[in-house]
Amino acid sequence: MMEVQFWATTDTGLARDHNEDNFLVDRDLSLFVVCDGMGGHAAGEVASAMSIQVISEIIAENRDILDAYEREPSRTLAQDAVLDLMDTAITEACRRIFEAAEADPDRHGMGTTCCALLLLAGRGFVGHVGDSRIYHIRDGDVDLVTMDHSFLNEMIRQGRAKEGDSIPNQNAVTRAVGVRPSVEVDTFDIEVEQDDLFIICSDGLSGYFESDEQILGLIDPDDLEGSTYRCIEHALRGGGRDNITTILARVDRLRSPRRTVMDSETLRALKACDYFAHATPSEFSQLCDIAERHHFEAGEDIIEPNRPAEFLCLVINGSVGITGDKPSATVLDAGDTFGEVSLFGESKSNEGYTALAPTRLVVFQRDALFGLLRARPSLAAKVLFGLAANMAEQLRRVPAELRFEPQLWDEVSIHSDHTPAPGFMVINDNLDVETRSMPGLSPAQAPAPASKSTPPPRVQSPPKGSTMPPLPPSAAKAGAAAPKKSKLNAQKRPLPPRPTLPPELEDDIETQQNVDLDELRKTTQFDRFDAKFDKL
């Protein structure tokens, strides 16, 4: 059970002659709802009142679902049942309001926003439609839990606008309860801790909030009644152009199993990770429940070479070096991930992972992550899409000259730029140069050494356990001139040449096939290809 203190206040404002807002506080259910009606001629007031009544009625009638969750809060099915109940309650309110509007021409088109918060067994279950809001305050941090269903946010979601843009009708509501027979409801749950405070309010108040500091200045957790009145006065001083409603709810005591609590830095890193970019707040909460946090000191091994890994790691801060049999290393920084391949089967390689500085990681064990994805098909689709998009982006970073030479990919970094140098970094400086001939050509026909008129020699990938061939003399000279700041001395590797044909074979093809190979090379869309020419 949870003990919650609360206070609620509403005001008509300075520009309206009646109040179309309605709110509900149900102490027994720990249910808090704010609805902002629309439609005029008292229709908005009717819509918001109907929404409050139907939501309260349906949730109270299904109290057994809430009791089942309180008995076993760790059961995924019980959690889903509460979210489904919230969705059902708001959807049913939408249907009834629409039918009432259809039966009365004077109320045609009436509707309402809806923000509902149900506090239950250490979780906050949210149902949201429109532009009313829920704010969550914890340890001096203010988090906007809901996202306005406004025209501007819809344009941002579609990539047709960005944060801070000003567009016509940007505050127009794109979803409302009762305007149509059904509505898409945002439902999700968030973790709740003791002393958490929630603000549930209409846009008559949130429209005058300008910063988190301003919100914190209005709220005194020990004086909820006075805080609600200060919020109302703040909106009136700003102009009071709409009805103003606010509920403040503070969690005084929490007697329920505690789950993993993620700090704000970790949550920001998870939200910025491509794999989880499309997850909902509820899905983020579930990811946090299975995530493990680990700290490594500089020089400490994270994964030793030739040891199997069955987890996905996200670097929160610090840096990680990847090393193996080859005298090379890649550096991963905050926001980078590793271990993705282990999600698709046993991963055992010669590479090792070592912390280069004090480093914090979030780790998802494969079995735990797959268990969550199996239970959440929509989250699974989002994560797999993120993995595919990330791997496609890495493949696009492979130079065109290597796209058809996968055996050489390990000689070129496909990661983003890193300090002290971008991409691949060489540790061993004392190496030899080695070239190889084109397949099918005699030594006399093999490409000449690199010059101004010929491409650079191809670098051969060494067998496992051997040392890397040396850098070209020009690169080695440049490396010697540069001051060596650390053990990791960065040098780029030369790219292999484009495939060529002996001049006599080119002439034979041009004569018999009536083509100009030089013109063909100019028009081809491929940077590189391999072809076999049968004897004509």
Side-chain angles (χ1 to χ4, degrees):
M1 293 292 293
M2 301 171 65
E3 292 184 8
V4 182
Q5 299 296 323
F6 55 86
W7 199 270
T9 307
T10 187
D11 191 277
T12 302
L14 302 177
R16 303 291 181 89
D17 58 4
H18 65 286
N19 195 339
E20 295 187 335
D21 288 0
N22 267 285
F23 67 85
L24 168 71
V25 174
D26 189 320
R27 180 189 295 271
D28 184 46
L29 295 173
S30 290
L31 174 65
F32 308 89
V33 187
V34 167
C35 292
D36 179 1
M38 61 189 74
H41 300 292
E45 182 178 352
V46 171
S48 61
M50 288 184 64
S51 179
I52 292 286
Q53 179 182 355
V54 174
I55 292 171
S56 175
E57 172 188 311
I58 291 179
I59 292 180
E61 289 175 352
N62 292 273
R63 182 61 187 263
D64 58 318
I65 294 177
L66 309 185
D67 293 340
Y69 176 75
E70 287 192 312
R71 286 193 300 270
E72 297 182 275
S74 60
R75 285 187 65 238
T76 299
L77 291 178
Q79 185 176 353
D80 288 345
V82 178
L83 291 172
D84 289 342
L85 177 59
M86 182 71 79
D87 183 278
T88 299
I90 298 177
T91 302
E92 178 63 16
C94 181
R95 184 187 67 81
R96 294 191 195 181
I97 293 169
F98 180 79
E99 291 178 352
E102 289 291 294
D104 187 346
D106 291 338
R107 295 174 177 173
H108 184 71
M110 70 176 178
T112 181
T113 69
C114 179
C115 257
L117 173 66
L118 177 65
L119 297 175
L120 192 68
R123 308 295 288 182
F125 294 88
V126 176
H128 170 61
V129 175
D131 61 356
S132 296
R133 292 183 174 182
I134 298 178
Y135 294 89
H136 181 200
I137 300 177
R138 175 186 293 171
D139 298 331
D141 292 328
V142 180
D143 181 34
L144 177 59
V145 175
T146 55
M147 183 183 73
D148 292 352
H149 298 139
S150 65
F151 183 61
L152 175 59
N153 279 347
E154 183 64 22
M155 292 297 101
I156 293 173
R157 188 183 68 82
Q158 295 180 13
R160 300 166 62 183
K162 59 181 183 297
E163 292 287 350
D165 283 356
S166 179
I167 61 176
N169 301 315
Q170 63 182 26
N171 294 323
V173 176
T174 56
R175 290 191 215 170
V177 177
V179 174
R180 294 183 177 84
S182 62
V183 67
E184 181 182 356
V185 183
D186 288 350
T187 57
F188 52 89
D189 66 296
I190 60 175
E191 186 174 46
V192 175
E193 286 193 295
Q194 187 168 311
D195 298 326
D196 281 2
L197 191 144
F198 294 90
I199 305 173
I200 308 100
C201 64
S202 62
D203 66 333
L205 173 60
S206 63
Y208 295 101
F209 285 157
E210 297 177 353
S211 66
D212 292 350
E213 292 75 18
Q214 186 185 68
I215 296 174
L216 293 173
L218 294 170
I219 303 299
D220 179 359
D222 297 323
D223 181 16
L224 298 185
E225 180 181 3
S227 297
T228 59
Y229 291 133
R230 281 192 293 275
C231 288
I232 297 294
E233 291 170 2
H234 171 74
L236 293 174
R237 285 196 303 269
R241 294 184 298 273
D242 201 351
N243 305 144
I244 311 160
T245 300
T246 182
I247 301 174
L248 299 184
R250 184 189 67 226
V251 179
D252 270 5
R253 186 174 300 177
L254 184 65
R255 296 196 300 270
S256 61
R258 297 191 58 168
R259 301 190 180 190
T260 304
V261 179
M262 289 290 175
D263 57 87
S264 57
E265 183 183 24
T266 302
L267 286 174
R268 283 194 297 270
L270 281 174
K271 292 179 180 179
C273 180
D274 292 340
Y275 306 150
F276 312 123
H278 302 286
T280 65
S282 176
E283 290 166 343
F284 272 120
S285 177
Q286 292 156 3
L287 286 167
C288 289
D289 287 343
I290 65 169
E292 301 174 3
R293 289 174 292 179
H294 296 271
H295 181 270
F296 296 88
E297 297 296 336
E300 187 176 356
D301 286 338
I302 299 171
I303 303 176
E304 296 178 0
N306 300 311
R307 294 290 298 273
E310 296 184 353
F311 40 77
L312 170 67
C313 298
L314 169 64
V315 182
I316 303 302
N317 55 38
S319 58
V320 176
I322 308 176
T323 58
D325 290 343
K326 298 181 180 180
S328 58
T330 298
V331 174
L332 303 178
D333 297 316
D336 289 332
T337 59
F338 58 94
E340 293 90 335
V341 176
S342 71
L343 299 179
F344 303 99
E346 183 178 355
S347 176
K348 185 176 180 180
S349 71
N350 297 328
E351 291 181 335
Y353 295 80
T354 304
L356 303 180
T359 300
R360 288 177 57 214
L361 302 178
V362 167
V363 178
F364 294 94
Q365 297 290 344
R366 183 173 67 186
D367 290 345
L369 181 59
F370 274 28
L372 175 60
L373 298 184
R374 281 192 293 269
R376 293 284 187 277
S378 61
L379 177 60
K382 296 170 186 177
V383 171
L384 292 176
F385 176 82
L387 283 166
N390 181 270
M391 291 181 179
E393 177 62 26
Q394 291 192 25
L395 287 176
R396 281 193 288 270
R397 294 177 185 172
V398 175
E401 291 83 354
L402 297 182
R403 288 176 188 164
F404 301 99
E405 297 283 351
Q407 69 272 21
L408 298 178
W409 287 4
D410 55 2
E411 297 186 10
V412 177
S413 171
I414 57 176
H415 293 280
S416 303
D417 289 350
H418 301 291
T419 303
F424 207 75
M425 290 180 284
V426 177
I427 296 175
N428 191 341
D429 299 320
N430 302 315
L431 306 172
D432 292 319
V433 173
E434 186 177 324
T435 60
R436 65 182 180 189
S437 301
M438 295 292 295
L441 301 183
S442 65
Q445 296 172 323
S451 69
K452 291 184 178 179
S453 59
T454 59
R458 183 194 302 268
V459 177
Q460 181 174 346
S461 180
K464 290 185 178 180
S466 66
T467 58
M468 188 74 78
L471 298 172
S474 59
K477 214 176 276 185
K484 187 172 182 180
K485 295 183 179 180
S486 67
K487 187 177 180 181
L488 299 179
N489 182 27
Q491 295 289 351
K492 288 187 177 180
R493 302 226 179 254
L495 299 176
R498 296 170 59 91
T500 59
L501 294 170
E504 61 270 35
L505 186 53
E506 287 195 357
D507 293 339
D508 191 37
I509 293 172
E510 290 178 338
T511 301
Q512 298 192 41
Q513 297 294 324
N514 194 27
V515 296
D516 186 336
L517 290 181
D518 289 334
E519 290 299 318
L520 183 61
R521 291 192 185 99
K522 292 177 184 178
T523 58
T524 181
Q525 62 176 326
F526 301 103
D527 292 310
R528 178 169 188 175
F529 62 88
D530 294 307
K532 285 187 178 180
F533 293 93
D534 294 329
K535 188 173 181 180
L536 301 174

